[in-house]
Amino acid sequence: MTDLALRVLGRVESPLASRADAPRQGDEGAPDAWVVFDESVRAALADLAAGDEIILVSWFDRADRDVLTVYPRGDRTRPPTGVFSTRSPDRPNPLGLHRVTVLAVDGLRLLVNNLEALDNTPIVDVKPVLGDVADR
Amino acid sequence: MTDLALRVLGRVESPLASRADAPRQGDEGAPDAWVVFDESVRAALADLAAGDEIILVSWFDRADRDVLTVYPRGDRTRPPTGVFSTRSPDRPNPLGLHRVTVLAVDGLRLLVNNLEALDNTPIVDVKPVLGDVADR
């Protein structure tokens, strides 16, 4: 099938340099990190503010896209599992979902907490966490 | 910046044919729908089962990628808002996140509930909803 063209809209600036440094999930000890966006999406960012809960969508650019099954959490005593049942970064489209809180906004830069993505990881979308239907 | 190549891994089969038919979110009256996957990802799907709560990642192929601000929920009495603070399908990378429950699995086909994506929408990833850290 035809590929879709995903645009890189921003990049992570993080002290996490390699997969060996990264926790398995953001709520397992990941650091604060900056996300630096491209000038072309300034208007899309304009309403984000400190305190907002958002989902950052990343592209795990150091992942292996040919992997279809993994040992969950690298534990070889567990059975190999299809990647659609895991959050492994190794998967056909290495998209990551990161639920974080915005700590600060500085122009095209957002400081967020609990981000387990590595330094320089592309960011491809930002979405609000949805609350109750009545508040949308 | 360079684009990333996202592979189409499956397609939605839904009674929703156009944006006028679709609810704004899956929990606002969206129908059950099938997702039909490509043979190449059979092993990635192998551990999904009825009852699983998953996040389908879609590509809103009928969206307008040049839109950076919208009136939330189409309400022009509300101020225009940057799309990163909304779930509008119109956005630079028109990715959709759909939290659904698997109702049935039939080979490469998954039946899910509450899917507001239109018929033939590409699916680009599937992830489990994460529970407590101790259960991962």
Side-chain angles (χ1 to χ4, degrees):
Chain A
M1 298 199 229
T2 317
D3 287 349
L4 306 168
L6 198 59
R7 298 179 195 147
V8 177
L9 307 181
R11 297 265 181 188
V12 173
E13 285 185 0
S14 169
L16 297 175
S18 75
R19 284 176 67 164
D21 299 332
R24 293 189 175 275
Q25 302 297 335
D27 58 1
E28 298 178 29
D32 298 348
W34 287 95
V35 182
V36 184
F37 288 90
D38 193 72
E39 175 64 39
S40 64
V41 294
R42 184 181 288 276
L45 277 174
D47 292 281
L48 293 175
D52 287 354
E53 286 204 272
I54 59 173
I55 298 169
L56 290 174
V57 186
S58 70
W59 180 265
F60 293 121
D61 57 344
R62 278 145 281 187
D64 181 344
R65 302 184 66 175
D66 295 326
V67 168
L68 297 176
T69 60
V70 294
Y71 293 94
R73 303 180 67 81
D75 179 351
R76 294 198 166 241
T77 68
R78 292 166 73 166
T81 302
V83 291
F84 290 168
S85 297
T86 83
R87 291 287 186 115
S88 169
D90 297 320
R91 54 202 309 118
N93 285 316
L95 294 166
L97 303 181
H98 311 271
R99 183 175 170 155
V100 300
T101 301
V102 177
L103 301 176
V105 181
D106 177 15
L108 292 168
R109 301 166 62 86
L110 291 188
L111 182 65
V112 302
N113 67 355
N114 286 354
L115 187 63
E116 81 276 21
L118 303 182
D119 188 47
N120 211 36
T121 297
I123 296 295
V124 296
D125 202 4
V126 181
K127 297 182 186 294
V129 173
L130 289 179
D132 291 341
V133 173
D135 297 328
R136 289 176 191 168
Chain B
M1 297 199 229
T2 317
D3 288 349
L4 306 168
L6 197 59
R7 298 178 195 148
V8 177
L9 306 180
R11 296 264 182 189
V12 173
E13 286 185 0
S14 169
L16 298 174
S18 75
R19 283 176 67 163
D21 299 331
R24 292 188 177 276
Q25 301 298 335
D27 57 1
E28 298 179 29
D32 297 349
W34 288 95
V35 182
V36 184
F37 287 90
D38 192 71
E39 175 63 39
S40 64
V41 294
R42 185 181 289 276
L45 278 175
D47 292 282
L48 293 174
D52 286 354
E53 286 205 89
I54 59 172
I55 297 168
L56 291 174
V57 185
S58 70
W59 180 264
F60 293 121
D61 56 344
R62 279 145 280 188
D64 182 344
R65 303 183 66 174
D66 294 327
V67 168
L68 296 176
T69 59
V70 295
Y71 293 94
R73 303 180 68 81
D75 179 352
R76 294 196 167 245
T77 68
R78 292 166 73 165
T81 302
V83 291
F84 290 168
S85 296
T86 83
R87 290 288 186 116
S88 170
D90 299 319
R91 56 202 308 118
N93 285 316
L95 294 166
L97 302 181
H98 311 271
R99 183 175 170 156
V100 300
T101 301
V102 177
L103 301 176
V105 181
D106 177 14
L108 292 168
R109 301 166 62 85
L110 291 188
L111 182 65
V112 303
N113 68 355
N114 287 355
L115 187 63
E116 80 277 22
L118 303 182
D119 188 47
N120 212 36
T121 297
I123 296 295
V124 297
D125 202 4
V126 181
K127 297 184 187 293
V129 173
L130 289 179
D132 290 340
V133 173
D135 298 329
R136 291 178 189 166

